[in-house]
Amino acid sequence: MAKAFTLLRLFALLSVAFGTVPLYAKGKPTLKICTSPWPPYTTVNEKGEIGGIDTEVIQIISERLGFTPEISNMAWKRCLQSAREGKMYFVYSASHNADRASYMHYPPQTYLHDVRYVFAIRSDEPNAYHWDTKRDITKLPSPIGVPLGFSITERLKNEKGVIDDGAIDDPMNLEKLMYKRVGSIIVGSLVLRSLIKEKGYQGQVKILDTPLYDPNVKNSHITVSKKYLQDGVSGEELMAKIDAELKAMKDSGEFDQIIQKHVGT
């Protein structure tokens, strides 16, 4: 009898580990999630429908873990504040800093993307600066546009950059650049290239390809509010399950296939 009980317990543990038992015992809950436009990772079309690479990943993971994602498009700073207050259960796609880690769980091993942050100026900018060789933020055409709530703002301020963080997201920042309301912007390289193509600004924006960070990237993540608790599942437990699913998607090549579908590279 003891042996049978041990085998049953082992089977249950293996079932949970491999995802055959739902995470939630009382049905399929709806989890509130927020994000902000960040193409091609997060896109919002003219109908307000949210898509993109990371949104598709979230939808797949939610199906496998047994919850329904209720995804809201918000200004990034408001999205983060909602997670801090426990009004939103998790956030994508967030880079890491100490303040965010105080109120959100980060995945223990698997991030979404490597993001190269680059500066850009208008192609007709008369005061173009040779960033690739000099790397002095104070000499870039100013002010430097950065979306409100982005973690890179503090670094730019520490390096004495003149910052304009009045835009709520990267698409708005690009428009400010084109209308000469800022002198330069900083944005993820793939995000910027996607926006230039979407807006038809080819040839009008000069990308300063040497990235801000050394090494060249910051990582973006799915994060879970530390105030999350539902159906006996804590935020830390949910984060661990999401992390495991994301790792499995990357290991199997499924994640790369999703990227290929959205960007073709």
Side-chain angles (χ1 to χ4, degrees):
M1 183 72 176
K3 184 177 180 181
F5 175 78
T6 302
L7 288 174
L8 284 171
R9 186 165 180 241
L10 177 62
F11 175 77
L13 290 171
L14 289 172
S15 296
V16 171
F18 287 97
T20 56
V21 173
L23 178 61
Y24 296 93
K26 298 179 182 178
K28 192 173 183 178
T30 297
L31 301 193
K32 296 180 179 180
I33 303 166
C34 64
T35 188
S36 189
W38 206 42
Y41 307 116
T42 306
T43 60
V44 182
N45 66 19
E46 63 278 0
K47 296 179 180 179
E49 297 166 334
I50 302 172
I53 296 168
D54 294 353
T55 303
E56 184 168 344
V57 169
I58 291 291
Q59 290 167 338
I60 291 170
I61 290 175
S62 66
E63 181 62 30
R64 291 174 182 171
L65 292 183
F67 63 85
T68 300
E70 184 181 290
I71 304 175
S72 297
N73 167 31
M74 293 183 174
W76 186 238
K77 187 173 183 179
R78 181 184 167 210
C79 178
L80 294 174
Q81 183 61 29
S82 295
R84 185 191 295 271
E85 296 170 358
K87 294 177 181 176
M88 288 289 157
Y89 299 146
F90 64 91
V91 169
Y92 70 99
S93 310
S95 60
H96 182 277
N97 66 27
D99 178 57
R100 293 175 186 176
S102 71
Y103 61 88
M104 296 193 296
H105 294 291
Y106 278 80
Q109 59 180 340
T110 312
Y111 57 83
L112 283 166
H113 306 281
D114 295 327
V115 181
R116 299 174 71 251
Y117 278 95
V118 296
F119 291 104
I121 59 177
R122 294 182 305 279
S123 297
D124 63 356
E125 170 58 56
N127 299 314
Y129 172 65
H130 296 291
W131 165 258
D132 293 347
T133 56
K134 301 295 184 180
R135 296 181 67 82
D136 184 348
I137 287 174
T138 65
K139 300 294 177 55
L140 286 166
S142 62
I144 302 167
V146 56
L148 185 65
F150 270 38
S151 61
I152 53 177
T153 303
E154 200 59 36
R155 170 167 179 174
L156 297 176
K157 288 180 177 178
N158 288 341
E159 296 190 22
K160 310 303 182 184
V162 179
I163 306 304
D164 179 338
D165 62 354
I168 63 171
D169 53 34
D170 285 317
M172 181 181 290
N173 239 5
L174 178 58
E175 294 300 324
K176 290 178 71 171
L177 178 69
M178 300 313 297
Y179 283 94
K180 302 184 179 182
R181 293 170 56 194
V182 295
S184 54
I185 59 174
I186 185 164
V187 60
S189 178
L190 185 56
V191 175
L192 180 56
R193 285 169 167 81
S194 296
L195 285 171
I196 289 171
K197 181 178 179 181
E198 177 187 326
K199 302 292 185 180
Y201 288 147
Q202 294 92 332
Q204 300 178 58
V205 179
K206 181 179 179 181
I207 301 173
L208 310 182
D209 267 321
T210 301
L212 171 64
Y213 284 92
D214 186 20
N216 292 342
V217 300
K218 288 191 75 176
N219 297 329
S220 63
H221 304 271
I222 302 169
T223 58
V224 178
S225 172
K226 289 186 176 181
K227 292 193 173 182
Y228 175 81
L229 179 62
Q230 189 161 340
D231 196 9
V233 178
S234 70
E236 188 173 13
E237 290 171 312
L238 176 59
M239 183 74 267
K241 290 292 185 181
I242 291 171
D243 183 57
E245 290 294 339
L246 183 58
K247 184 177 187 303
M249 291 177 72
K250 287 197 168 190
D251 289 346
S252 70
E254 183 180 11
F255 189 86
D256 288 336
Q257 291 173 4
I258 294 170
I259 294 175
Q260 176 75 23
K261 182 172 74 173
H262 285 272
V263 302
T265 58

